[in-house]
């Protein structure tokens, strides 16, 4: 029952074709979605040009193509596919206008190449092995419409590398700090900047890194203010949140 | 060596009183802080009126008084003291202009009661036992200058309570979602709003809640987008970050 | 906005005093609870005579009295208070008609002593130290209206004790199996009966029992069919669920 | 020594062919099973038409065929085989009357296609990746004789999807709530219905989901009443228990 | 129904007063215990002079006295009470013939002081802090009837202390090796002797000893043969098992 | 420096060719092994006919053959090879007199087929998936010289299967109880017998069995007396210890 | 059997009073300690003036006094007592020449106040709460004879504080880096210096610091080279090892 | 901006071509590295002949060749490549002067075969399976310039093997003790030597070794003094630190 249906129902009440009591009992059961409740911006893609997202892991090329086609028909301007393996990407690329990135394993369907990128999301990483997660975050934020700067391989074991980029960091509206192993980077970054820092632990490491647990705990226990944490290897989540913060409207004072 | 000292040194070079080589070797060792490096806004309290923070746990009334006095002498306008037990607060209140809150165990010294609160931070909690953590977040954000709305006891086991407050949620610029036990609240909230959600697990619970670990893991694994997590019971961290996001300037498009 | 308010609104539409469009925009925001959505049986206590429950831990005698008084005024017939320490109970007992049980730390306010107990919930426990949790389950189920049989101290290390009670077990509609330490009791019971078994791990034990974790894992990994598990020491949850299953209406075939 | 053997022995006593003392010493050692002790409904398949179950993992096609043939010869009407990989299923299907389901990896041998399905088991899932576990539960309950309704992809991050199905949920006699990642679905469902909810954590997720541990802990710590939990990915266990509860006879009041 | 009751029943069959079929249906339900099934030596204390054991933790002096009195009346010769705090012991000592040991927190009621101690149980410990657990093991084995030798403070960080006692170790029929912290002692002992070694981890330690978990894992992973492990701090269990092994009859070759 | 070298040295002292002081300083540094210290029965295989053991995992056929050949040349009568994969076994069997068991993945080289097996080790298992670990224990104990009885598939979820074998259990000198999943079998067995029970957790299971951790914790927390535990899947360790206990000489009383 | 006893034995051989064979069999069993084996520097305190150490936790004032007196009589020059609570210290101070430090809870008996301190151990800490552990390390190293420099409160969340002390760090022969919470300090320090860094996690923190586990894992996973880790809160161990490294003799090239 | 650039800038000030204020603002932003801050010995390879290190895991032969070539062009004398699989090594060996070791999976490019090895690093291991980690440590220390002695297969379950090598151990300047399973070796070694011991847990083991966690905890909890721990399987880290300690200059007394 969509908006029109409800108004039709109300019109029937207005026309005397339905009693208020009958209308009440109908309204009481009407599906939520149609009322416009819940998530007002459910179809925000159409209105804002923000792309929809498909989590590609475990889906076949056929399934992804089906979902994407339906989205495009409904007016979605562009679609981000994450965790998309190379083989599936190859099949999709042959049939759809998709740009695939091998490092982050993301694909962008019907990419809006003229989109203006705004603000400043800075993505810093501890080591080269963290780059796939960084790139998932970077591409997510970019496709959403954020301007992204990458500062890779600036881990805390060689702090001068990070310090030599203070000018770049100081321009950030939000920083995504990605690190595996000991995961100390967000703490150091958090002490250097005055904007929100999104910490992303990665599963990079061995032995007592326990698949990213060590880095995760480090980040949660950070002494620096302004830091929050997403799941291990969750580059997409960090990029999405970074874009959300980056593109905030100014507060009214 | 502060800015003036460096300029004096350079002046000596300009005056021919010091060779460039000698100046180089002196510069090479000059302490970091004085260069103005690192955290440009280190003394932001003076310039912006943002209060300084003292972590009260494990400090005596005398120590806190000493730190606070020094801060006030240096121009700090107001000071937030967190994790301050009632007994220590009583002593401090007798000697300082401090407003103490028994629920959150926070004190505000030299509170700026005329401060204009801006934006909208909404703090939601699952149960009444989570309120101390909520209030630590709320008071932190308020003292910083954010306008805070509280929605307590709207846990997911009675989802209608949360849904009946959708209008309040939809006005938020940032939501702090606090929950112990199963910690599912941030996921549901994250699906209802389009602004950043800061998830705070609490140690409320028993048995397999393992001191908040259960809620922490739930929040890290949230399927909703736009959520990030701080440490267990870290109301201050959430409030601080919420204020940071809430008071962002608008992005230039 | 309650049912009457909605009907009034619809009446206004019927009367031509409000346009369907205006009515729609008002309906779109009406609070959930009033629509009767969500949990239809939210006030089931009034209709069914099932008592309400107050989680007593961390509440003062005054708070509990306040909540209970409000409930009683709203027609609640009896109220179960769980995790109620002896001292608070003493204060409450002086002011309310409350029956307190020292073992399970539960109180029943305005107990319906003529309530007919139906069906058969059998509660078995491994050792005497598990009895407080057992009694929380037993009293919960009884106050709800279930007939409860107790089989305590029939742990698996002396299996003959359990086997000598097979006749009692075979009469059960649902069994609550409570055990700490190794937590093996539910598995054995699950192999002996054909009704649902609710397993309750307890924090009884030392060393590698890790506060009930050992018993919890044992129960989750049970090879027997028909077993499910609640949180460590969650006697209330087990008793509540046991009553729910015990009092089911027969399936229509 | 089966029933007849015992009666023969007693007859010998009656006939004076054996002394009571001699009979006692023989009885004292007789095997348990023959006495009909333990699980009275051990052969319930024959009497009730409930199918037997074979755990297929790690068994060869030959072994499964052997066990199934013996069961069928003993009168079993239909047999459920769980965790049966596709290749083994292919071999079995060629030799037995078996219906195989690729999603849940279950096979049903000698399926009773005319069986009347009774009651109402509703299975809800958080995401599409949880469907294999859901289907294991669904097929288990169906083969046992329960009527099953599926509500998939109604996770808490888009709560309106779940709320739009309240009418279906309210008809359930028992709900199986399946979720990976943060595992919050059972808590929300538990707050919406008044029947038992069986929570099934799945190993779906990555990073700090730790193979389903995160979802498991969430479910154990649920604030909602009437919820209990089975092992990670244990669709069969949930389906079996759901059928057991669904088909309960009504309590005598 | 005890032995006599069964024989009476059989006599009734022999006398023709009861049909074999009727007798069968009665036998089918008779309680287990009376059949003498399960643990034949359930009353072994009476026959063998082995003491009964009461787990004292959480029991009042009155409860312990009650249980002990009943045991003594039933012929038990002596009773070991473990985990008995000093205060309760003081009360008991005033009323019963009890010998209390402050180190191990064990009491022996009606101790058989003339009991001959046989065989050789050697108890080794890593440090002085482990001695309470050692003594619980030692007194348990002694009260049961084993001859015990103590080798304390021979931890692996000063291996010469252990090696200087090789002659004592080589006489052992079974060794109980008790250690906290790193828990390496059983491995070294296991490499030095050819008899069974019972490893007891203790909760002695700090930091990453995690309440004995570190020592427990060490012992479970021992490379030496002939080692098995009991629960953390379980001196009683180790002493009981050591006595069981120590007093074995010789194998018939 | 072997025995002869030391005697030569002492002879030189006796002959006056070396001063006692010089001899002392030489003795002070002599290697341990040669003194015959440490493990008196280091070469017990030669004297007792007990086989040596080679841990096959990670060793090539060539390496195993080399070690075995050296052992046989030194008088070892038979050799047990554990964790030996089928392919390596095939190669070895072609070159050595080796009997290979595919279930337990053990090989016995130069097996003494006339060895008399003594005593009674009973091996019980919960399910059929535990059989490889059981057989590793069984073959180890048998090759050492113990008489082994197998009671497989007698898990606690169908306790009547175990109880019907009480006569076999009551004859055991030592029981090895093997179980995965919930690991409850040793507790039940420990309550039924009066001999030592060696508990072996297996990695059989899924979900929250966490690779055997669940079963391990269950066994460590057993309430039954006389139980100790070895590492997960350590059939060899259990079989070795079982043989050690089984073949003990009788205690002198 | 001490050195003299062995020489006497050898003299008996030299005198012909004992045969070499007889001497061999006696030597074969002589205790280890007396041979001077194992730890050559067991009595190093006497020779080097390095103090002995008493772990004070759990020892009474009387026990500590007894041990200390015996040590002093045997020539020990000074004694370090760690984990000594204030009350016990007060009693000891009244009877012994002991200097007690309230922060680190260490006491030094018979302190050598003229001892020359050599080399350079630098101790850095993240926050003020870590100071007790730092001081335990500092006093340990100092009493041993190392020159110690303290750099406290230079945590990574304000990296400029650490960087402003680079000159002090660059003089260190060994650094002890102490940190709780996220534990990132050793990594940063390890990237700034070229000497060994001993990392000490502390139990300072809350929530997911899990009693120091978070900091411990961080340090073990450090990307910087030259770092190793000691137990949580193990200031003594770090100070001892730091002294050992600090006072190494130069390598011969 | 390197040293020369800064001096040029200062020269411009000296020449009056740039004002001191302008110079200050330029200096304030100059990159860190060029100032020579942070790690003074960043290019120590060139000055000291210590090889650079490339972490080979996850890098292609092409990438490694590229990095190595750049290093060699910059004057690096030799390069250690760790965690280099055999296949990649084969490709590299064809194009570079590289010596590859299959056991430790390390390659040394442009090895300085005439390098004098100094001091004494002794590497001890518990079992043969630990040898790959040992060799990574050994080759690292050797390539750096340390003289390395290997004592393999001297685990604590046969302590005489270790004791027979006391003379070798007593010559060590630093010991690297490598062990999996129970990880007890470093404790025993730490009690036998008076030099620093670097403990390396390995992931060798099964069951409750939990990928090296058991050994790690054992080592962290060691009672012996002078021990510190590196990450699981971190042979490189241990070898690097061992070399650092081994080649220390003597302390000035």
């Amino acid at each position: 029952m969509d908006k029109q249906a409800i108004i039709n129902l109300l019109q029937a009440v207005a026309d005397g074709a339905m009693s208020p009591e009958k209308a009440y009992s109908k309204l009481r059961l009407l599906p939520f979605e149609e009322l416009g409740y819940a998530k007002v911006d459910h179809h925000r893609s159409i209105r804002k040009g923000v792309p929809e997202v498909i989590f590609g892991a475990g889906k076949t090329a056929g399934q992804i193509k089906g979902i994407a086609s339906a989205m495009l028909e409904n007016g979605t301007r562009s679609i981000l596919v994450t965790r998309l393996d190379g083989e599936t990407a190859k099949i999709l690329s042959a049939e759809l206008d998709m740009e695939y990135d091998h490092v982050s394993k993301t694909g962008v369907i019907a990419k809006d190449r003229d989109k203006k990128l705004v603000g400043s999301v800075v993505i810093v990483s501890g080591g080269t092995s963290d780059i796939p997660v960084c790139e998932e975050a970077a591409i997510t934020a970019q496709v959403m419409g954020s301007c992204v700067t990458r500062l890779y391989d600036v881990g805390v074991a060689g702090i001068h590398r990070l310090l030599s980029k203070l000018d770049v960091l100081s321009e950030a509206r939000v920083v995504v700090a990605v690190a595996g192993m000991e995961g100390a980077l967000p703490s150091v970054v958090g002490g250097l900047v005055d904007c929100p820092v999104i910490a992303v632990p990665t599963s990079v490491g061995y032995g007592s890194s326990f698949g990213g647990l060590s880095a995760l705990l480090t980040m949660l226990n950070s002494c620096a203010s302004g830091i929050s944490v997403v799941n291990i290897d969750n580059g997409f989540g960090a990029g999405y949140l970074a874009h959300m913060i980056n593109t905030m409207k100014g507060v009214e004072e």
Side-chain angles (χ1 to χ4, degrees), chain A:
Chain A
M1 192 187 281
D2 62 11
K3 178 181 171 177
Q4 197 50 51
I6 298 172
I7 291 184
N8 289 349
L9 182 150
L10 291 168
Q11 191 62 53
V13 175
D15 298 345
M18 187 184 288
S19 72
E21 286 72 17
K22 181 71 184 294
Y24 171 75
S25 70
K26 277 189 176 292
L27 281 170
R28 190 175 165 284
L29 292 174
L30 59 81
F32 230 59
E33 197 164 22
E34 287 77 9
L35 252 188
Y37 263 117
K39 195 150 190 171
V40 182
D41 281 335
H42 185 61
H43 298 107
R44 68 192 180 288
S45 157
I46 300 169
R47 285 175 291 111
K48 288 196 184 168
V50 175
E52 289 287 344
V53 181
I54 300 172
F55 189 75
K59 296 204 178 70
T60 65
Q63 289 174 319
I64 295 174
K65 195 188 157 192
I67 299 171
S69 301
M71 284 177 172
L72 293 172
E73 280 165 24
N74 280 321
T76 298
R77 287 265 289 280
S78 64
I79 301 164
L80 174 66
V81 191
T82 62
R83 310 231 163 179
L84 179 64
D85 63 87
E87 210 162 330
T88 311
K90 207 169 168 183
I91 300 169
L92 283 174
S93 296
E95 306 191 26
L96 291 167
D97 164 26
M98 187 178 81
E99 195 174 303
Y100 182 67
D101 175 65
H102 285 275
V103 175
S104 62
K105 298 199 177 307
T106 54
V108 185
I109 297 170
K111 185 173 178 178
D112 178 0
R113 289 180 179 75
D114 301 328
K115 188 163 207 166
K116 197 188 155 199
L117 303 182
V118 301
S120 171
V121 173
V122 175
I123 300 182
V124 300
S125 82
T128 52
S129 310
D130 301 320
I131 290 178
V133 176
C134 292
E135 282 299 305
E136 193 185 83
I139 288 176
T140 297
Q142 283 176 331
V143 169
M144 299 280 165
S146 281
C147 184
V148 172
T149 308
R150 290 152 170 92
L151 292 183
Y152 292 169
D153 201 14
V154 293
V156 299
I159 198 73
H160 56 288
R161 295 175 299 183
L162 180 64
L163 294 174
S164 68
K165 300 294 183 184
L166 273 179
D167 52 340
V168 179
L169 278 174
S170 69
E171 300 292 320
R173 282 175 62 84
V174 55
V175 176
V176 175
V178 181
M181 299 296 288
E182 81 261 69
L185 186 61
S187 284
V188 175
V189 170
L192 294 173
V193 301
D194 257 341
C195 67
V197 175
I198 303 167
V200 190
T202 71
S203 56
V204 170
Y206 62 90
S208 62
S209 77
F210 296 127
L213 177 60
S214 171
L216 171 63
L217 291 177
T218 305
M219 293 174 183
L220 285 166
N221 284 286
S222 176
C223 298
S225 299
I227 297 180
S228 59
V229 188
V230 297
N231 197 359
I232 298 165
D233 291 337
N234 189 3
F236 166 72
Y240 187 99
L241 176 57
H243 172 75
M244 203 180 244
I245 295 173
N246 178 45
T247 54
M248 282 190 78
K249 291 176 192 162
V251 67
E252 287 171 38
E253 308 214 22

